[in-house]
Amino acid sequence: MPIAKVNGVEVEFEPGMTVLQVAELAGEEIPRFCYHERLSIAGNCRMCLVEVKPGPPKPQASCALPAAENQEIFTNTPMVKKAREGVMEFLLINHPLDCPICDQGGECDLQDQAMGYGRDDSRYGENKRAVEEKEMGPLIKTVMTRCIQCTRCVRFITEVAGVPEIGLISRGEDVEITTYLGAAVTSELSGNVNDLCPVGALTHKPWAFNYRPWELKKTQSIDVMDALGSAVRIDSRGAQVLRALPRINEDINEEWLSDKSRYAVDGLGRQRLDRPYVRVNGKLSPATWGEAFAAVAAKIKATSPDRIGVIAGDLQDAESMKAALDLFGSLGVKNLDCRQDGTVLGAGPRESWLFNSTIAGIDEADAIMIIGANPRLEAPVLNARIRRRWLKGDVLIGVVGEQADLTYDYNYLGAGPESLKPFVKHGAISKQKPMFIIGQGALNRPDSGAVLKMIAQAAAGMGLVKDGWNGWNVLHTAAARVGGLDLGFVPGAGGLTAGQMVKPGALDVLFLLGADEIETSASGAFTVYLGSHGDRGAHKADVILPGAAYTEKNGLYVNTEGRVQMGERAVFPKGEAKEDWSILRALSDHLGARLPYDSLDQLRRKLFADHPTFGQIDFAPGSIPTVFDLSAVGDGGKLSDAPFAAAVTAFHLTNPIARASVTMAECAALASGAAKMAAE
C-alpha cells in the first residue's frame, strides 16, 4: 500500500483515497461543508484547504485532491490557518448571523467551524446579499440567505433519492438553490436534506421553533414505520417525543431515514387512548382497569374457545405477541393470526419469509427481479440501496407488477402471474448472485398459494438459492410481521385466519392486539381492542384497553431480514395506559390462567427459551446463507390472471400513528395532488 506523510507522520492508505481521507486516517480533523462521504465530490466550499508537497505553493482543497505515494500533507501550518480564516470570512459575508432564532443552533457546522477555524472579527461593511425563501413542501423550511451553496441537498436528492427536484440556478452572486418550477419536493427521503444542510438554510419545518437540541433527552431505538428496522434516535422533552433522527447502521439504513419514520412522531401525542373504556348501552364510557378486565373476563369465560379469535397488529413487539400466545393458547384458542392482510406465508422453513440476501446484500446482487412490490413506497431506504446498486452498473433489474417510477431504470416484464410463467422453465442463469424481491402484493391475494409456488419453481430453476448465496427475499411492510411468524402467531389446526375471523357470525369474541388494518365492522363479535390510538380497531370495540406506543416501551422487533432488534423506551405511556404485555398479564389473573412471568426480563427469558432465534440480537441469518427446500414454500391452487397490486398506495398513512399525524396528513394531501396532476 502507498504511504504518505501527514504532519510528519507516515500513513498507509488505499489507492484512490483523497488527501482529506488520508489526513483523517492520521487522526487530523479537516473542516468541511460540502464534502460528504456518501455523496459525490463537489469542491464548492474550499474549507478543507491543506498544504501539500510536492505541489504548488498555495493551499489546496483536500476533498478533491487524490493522495499520492510519498506525498507530504500539512494541516496546521500558518498558510493553512490563514487560508481557512479567509474562507470562513467570505462564507460569513452574506450570512444573516441569526443564530438566536435558527433551528440549527446548537448543532450547526457553521457555528462550530467558525469558532474553531474562523476570525474573531469582520472586515466587511457593505450591504449583505438577501435571497427569497423557497417553498419546498411541508417538511423543509427554508431560509436561503443562510445558504453557502455547498450543494449537499442537490447531490443527495439527485444521487441517493433519485428525484432531481432541487438544483442550482444562475451564476456568481446570483446563485440560488431552488426546486424545479418552484414545486414541493416529492421524494420519500426528502427530510434527509435537512440533516445534510450544514448551515441552517434547510431545517425541519414540522419541528420549527419547538426545541433547542440541548433540551432533549436522546434514546437509541428502532423504527417501526416499515419492516426495515432502521436505527433511529428518539429525542424527547418531558413526556413528549419531539423528533426522530437516523442513527448510522451500515447494514440497514446507513444514515438515511424515510420521511414517515422521521416526521410521523407528532402522531404519538394525538388521538391517544389514555384510559380504559367499556361500551354501555351502545356508547363507550370511561371505566377503571378492574371494570374493563371484568367485562372482558366475563365474556371470554362464557364463550367456547373455538368462538374466540385474536388478531395481532403491524406495530406489535414480540413480547406482547408472546404474552397473547401464552394466554390464549392456555385457554385452548386456535384462532390466532398476525397477518391482517391475508398473506399466505407462515408455514415451512423460516427462510421462506425472510429477506435472505440481507439488505446489505443488495450491493452484491447482479440480477434483481421485483415481484408484486413497490420498494419506493414500501421501503424507501431499501429502494435507495437498489438505486445505488443500479448506478454502479452491471446489474439487471426486472419488475413484475405495477409499472411505477422507482427512481432507476428496469425492464418491465408484465403486470401479473402470467408474466412469471416463462421463468418457471427458464433454467439457470449466468448471473452469480441473482435475487427475487417478493412483495406483499404477490402474497395477499386469493391465489397467493399458487403464485408463491410458481415463484418458488422459477427461483429453483434459475438457481437463486445455492451455496454461499440465498436470493429468496420477501419484502415485508409491517414491523411486527416477521416476529409474529417466527413466534407461530398463525392459526392452529382447524383455526381461522384473520380474514375468516371478521366475517359475520364467525366468532363471539374478537381480541384485537393493536390490529387496525383490517375491517371488523361486519363481524358482530364482542370486540376487545388493546392499542395506543383511537383508530379503526377502537371504533367498533366493546372494551378498550389502552396500550403503549413503540416509543413508550422496551420491545423486541424482527425486521424483514430476520434481524432481532431492541426498541428502547423514550417516554412513559400516556395517562393510564400500560405496556401491552403487562395488560395481558393482568388480564390473565382475571381469567384464571395466570401467565408465568411478572417482569419483562422473565417474559424475555421464556421467549428466548421457547424461540431461541429471539436471543440472537442484531444477527441477520442471511449473513450465513443457508440452502433450503423451495418446494415447501407454496401450496398451489388455482392461478388468477389479475395483475399484482402494490401493498402500499398511501405511503404516509399506513398505520395508526401516521394517520394521527398532522404532518403526514399534509404530506398525503400533497402526494395525492401530485399523483392527480401526473394522471391528468
Side-chain angles (χ1 to χ4, degrees):
M1 293 175 66
I3 297 176
K5 285 186 177 181
V6 180
N7 296 333
V9 178
E10 290 190 347
V11 179
E12 282 190 344
F13 64 91
E14 296 180 5
M17 295 182 76
T18 63
V19 168
L20 183 149
Q21 293 171 318
V22 173
E24 292 198 331
L25 280 178
E28 298 293 338
E29 181 181 357
I30 305 294
R32 84 291 297 267
F33 292 115
C34 69
Y35 175 79
H36 192 279
E37 57 269 19
R38 300 188 197 276
L39 304 176
S40 61
I41 294 171
N44 290 347
C45 71
R46 320 308 286 180
M47 194 63 205
C48 63
L49 295 174
V50 297
E51 188 178 349
V52 177
K53 294 180 181 178
K58 64 178 183 179
Q60 298 190 64
S62 61
C63 70
L65 183 65
E69 177 78 46
N70 298 323
Q71 202 172 43
E72 291 188 71
I73 303 166
F74 302 94
T75 67
N76 52 15
T77 62
M79 177 196 292
V80 172
K81 184 175 184 295
K82 183 177 180 181
R84 289 176 179 170
E85 288 178 353
V87 169
M88 180 60 70
E89 190 174 10
F90 274 111
L91 290 176
L92 294 178
I93 276 177
N94 287 313
H95 196 81
L97 305 179
D98 56 349
C99 300
I101 64 163
C102 179
D103 280 310
Q104 198 90 330
E107 47 191 8
C108 174
D109 292 346
L110 188 62
Q111 280 183 334
D112 297 341
Q113 293 182 38
M115 290 293 293
Y117 304 99
R119 295 167 56 93
D120 58 2
D121 64 333
S122 175
R123 296 174 289 178
Y124 187 76
E126 307 298 324
N127 292 329
K128 288 180 178 283
R129 167 188 185 238
V131 183
E132 288 185 0
E133 310 309 347
K134 307 295 186 293
E135 176 54 50
M136 294 191 179
L139 304 180
I140 304 173
K141 179 176 181 287
T142 65
V143 183
M144 300 313 294
T145 303
R146 300 172 185 159
C147 181
I148 62 170
Q149 291 84 47
C150 71
T151 68
R152 278 187 178 184
C153 55
V154 177
R155 286 175 283 148
F156 172 84
I157 213 74
T158 303
E159 298 167 7
V160 179
V163 184
E165 295 173 336
I166 301 178
L168 196 76
I169 61 171
S170 301
R171 299 180 67 184
E173 186 184 18
D174 297 325
V175 161
E176 295 182 22
I177 298 287
T178 185
T179 56
Y180 182 67
L181 296 179
V185 180
T186 61
S187 170
E188 295 77 19
L189 298 168
S190 64
N192 292 286
V193 302
N194 299 328
D195 288 346
L196 289 170
C197 183
V199 298
L202 306 179
T203 53
H204 305 278
K205 185 181 284 188
W207 308 333
F209 309 125
N210 279 346
Y211 60 83
R212 283 299 194 181
W214 53 83
E215 300 175 329
L216 305 180
K217 184 186 78 170
K218 301 169 177 61
T219 306
Q220 295 188 354
S221 191
I222 298 300
D223 171 53
V224 301
M225 294 293 131
D226 57 31
L228 289 194
S230 299
V232 296
R233 193 186 81 198
I234 304 296
D235 288 359
S236 58
R237 183 178 58 200
Q240 185 180 10
V241 172
L242 290 177
R243 65 179 186 179
L245 297 175
R247 290 187 291 122
I248 295 178
N249 187 331
E250 299 293 349
D251 292 331
I252 301 176
N253 61 306
E254 299 178 290
E255 61 182 87
W256 314 127
L257 195 61
S258 77
D259 291 344
K260 180 169 56 179
S261 303
R262 186 189 297 269
Y263 295 115
V265 292
D266 65 322
L268 290 166
R270 301 177 188 274
Q271 300 181 16
R272 289 301 303 271
L273 301 173
D274 58 359
R275 63 182 304 171
Y277 288 87
V278 175
R279 192 175 295 277
V280 179
N281 297 324
K283 183 179 180 181
L284 284 171
S285 302
T288 65
W289 276 106
E291 292 169 344
F293 284 144
V296 175
K299 191 66 179 179
I300 290 179
K301 287 179 179 178
T303 306
S304 171
D306 63 338
R307 301 289 294 175
I308 300 173
V310 185
I311 303 176
D314 292 348
L315 303 183
Q316 291 305 121
D317 55 287
E319 291 89 342
S320 65
M321 289 189 286
K322 173 61 175 170
L325 272 175
D326 289 348
L327 174 58
F328 288 97
S330 68
L331 298 175
V333 175
K334 295 182 179 180
N335 307 315
L336 304 116
D337 206 350
C338 66
R339 306 165 300 180
Q340 294 182 88
D341 55 7
T343 182
V344 296
L345 290 174
R350 185 184 187 225
E351 290 83 2
S352 65
W353 59 75
L354 298 184
F355 202 99
N356 293 288
S357 301
T358 72
I359 296 167
I362 292 172
D363 297 339
E364 303 175 32
D366 49 16
I368 303 172
M369 184 185 292
I370 300 169
I371 305 170
N374 183 338
R376 181 175 172 181
L377 298 182
E378 296 171 24
V381 175
L382 180 141
N383 194 64
R385 199 178 279 254
I386 297 175
R387 172 178 166 79
R388 187 178 68 184
R389 177 64 189 90
W390 169 74
L391 287 172
K392 285 173 62 179
D394 192 28
V395 62
L396 286 174
I397 301 179
V399 170
V400 177
E402 293 184 359
Q403 194 168 7
D405 177 9
L406 299 181
T407 73
Y408 42 83
D409 295 337
Y410 56 82
N411 298 311
Y412 186 62
L413 305 174
E418 292 294 324
S419 306
L420 292 170
K421 288 185 177 179
F423 296 96
V424 174
K425 302 177 181 179
H426 191 284
I429 60 176
S430 59
K431 298 294 185 179
Q432 297 303 307
K433 294 187 174 181
M435 65 163 60
F436 283 2
I437 297 179
I438 306 159
Q440 299 305 301
L443 301 175
N444 57 14
R445 301 155 45 104
D447 65 339
S448 286
V451 170
L452 200 57
K453 183 176 182 180
M454 178 181 289
I455 297 173
Q457 290 172 343
M462 296 170 68
L464 251 70
V465 180
K466 51 193 173 185
D467 288 336
W469 180 254
N470 189 337
W472 178 270
N473 300 304
V474 176
L475 179 59
H476 291 278
T477 57
R481 183 61 51 81
V482 175
L485 296 179
D486 287 349
L487 284 168
F489 207 113
V490 293
L496 303 178
T497 64
Q500 294 168 335
M501 289 186 219
V502 298
K503 290 182 178 179
L507 298 174
D508 293 332
V509 176
L510 181 61
F511 195 100
L512 302 178
L513 184 61
D516 293 280
E517 312 309 319
I518 188 167
E519 183 56 57
T520 62
S521 58
S523 169
F526 180 88
T527 303
V528 182
Y529 178 77
L530 193 167
S532 60
H533 282 70
D535 202 74
R536 298 169 184 167
H539 288 172
K540 299 291 183 180
D542 295 287
V543 177
I544 293 176
L545 307 175
Y550 76 103
T551 55
E552 300 162 3
K553 58 185 174 183
N554 297 311
L556 296 175
Y557 300 88
V558 188
N559 78 344
T560 192
E561 56 184 357
R563 187 189 301 269
V564 181
Q565 299 173 290
M566 281 191 173
E568 300 290 339
R569 182 177 63 199
V571 296
F572 287 95
K574 307 297 181 193
E576 298 179 34
K578 308 292 182 185
E579 295 184 16
D580 299 8
W581 75 266
S582 65
I583 295 173
L584 292 165
R585 167 64 183 80
L587 178 61
S588 70
D589 281 339
H590 289 76
L591 291 172
R594 183 180 181 128
L595 291 173
Y597 31 77
D598 298 317
S599 68
L600 185 63
D601 286 342
Q602 293 176 1
L603 169 53
R604 283 181 173 171
R605 281 198 290 271
K606 188 171 191 310
L607 173 65
F608 297 162
D610 294 347
H611 306 276
T613 56
F614 284 90
Q616 300 174 332
I617 306 298
D618 202 33
F619 170 72
S623 58
I624 306 176
T626 56
V627 176
F628 71 103
D629 184 8
L630 282 168
S631 64
V633 171
D635 295 329
K638 187 176 180 181
L639 199 65
S640 166
D641 59 357
F644 294 133
V648 174
T649 53
F651 166 72
H652 303 95
L653 304 173
T654 56
N655 60 64
I657 297 172
R659 287 191 288 270
S661 165
V662 173
T663 305
M664 291 296 99
E666 293 176 0
C667 292
L670 178 67
S672 62
K676 183 178 179 182
M677 288 177 63
E680 292 173 349

